[in-house]
Amino acid sequence: MISHVVAWTLREDLDRAASIARIRELLTGLTGTIESIRSLEVVENVAYPDKNSDVAVVASFDDLAGLDEYQVHPDHQAAAAEIRGLVTGRAAIDWER
């Protein structure tokens, strides 16, 4: 099983709640569209806003091939492009469990 986490810092000039809602809509909409997704959740930071990212996606895949399928899927690419316009920073980690 591969776990995939991407965390973002939102642009300060945009409405925080609206940006998080849009990211959630974009990414949760991929479930059922991209068959390799086993689970996917978009979470909002609730502590230490001066140190932590604002929002993250936590997803799981059976294997690296499934993660690769997700990464290159056109619907994911379109979502990622829109998300890039809402954020100023990104951090990611993928691990096997």
Side-chain angles (χ1 to χ4, degrees), residues 69-84:
E69 177 188 334
Y70 168 78
Q71 293 290 6
V72 300
H73 193 283
D75 291 343
H76 174 259
Q77 291 292 312
E82 186 171 339
I83 290 168
R84 282 192 290 275

Side-chain angles (χ1 to χ4, degrees), residues 3 5 9 12 31 41 48 60 71 76 79-82 87 89:
S3 294
V5 174
T9 301
E12 291 185 13
T31 303
E41 183 178 13
Y48 315 112
S60 64
Q71 293 290 6
H76 174 259
E82 186 171 339
V87 303

Side-chain angles (χ1 to χ4, degrees), residues 3-95:
S3 294
H4 171 71
V5 174
V6 179
W8 298 277
T9 301
L10 297 171
R11 287 178 35 189
E12 291 185 13
D13 62 318
L14 299 177
D15 180 83
R16 184 178 196 280
S19 294
I20 291 170
R22 182 62 181 148
I23 291 169
R24 182 172 282 122
E25 177 183 22
L26 287 166
L27 295 177
T28 58
L30 299 176
T31 303
T33 299
I34 302 175
E35 292 183 21
S36 65
I37 297 171
R38 295 297 163 247
S39 67
L40 187 145
E41 183 178 13
V42 176
V43 296
E44 178 180 349
N45 181 56
V46 297
Y48 315 112
D50 57 325
K51 297 177 186 176
N52 291 347
S53 297
D54 295 301
V55 62
V57 62
V58 181
S60 64
F61 304 87
D62 288 336
D63 50 30
L64 285 173
L67 174 60
D68 289 342
E69 177 188 334
Y70 168 78
Q71 293 290 6
V72 300
H73 193 283
D75 291 343
H76 174 259
Q77 291 292 312
E82 186 171 339
I83 290 168
R84 282 192 290 275
L86 301 173
V87 303
T88 61
R90 176 190 182 277
I93 186 169
D94 302 298
W95 70 95

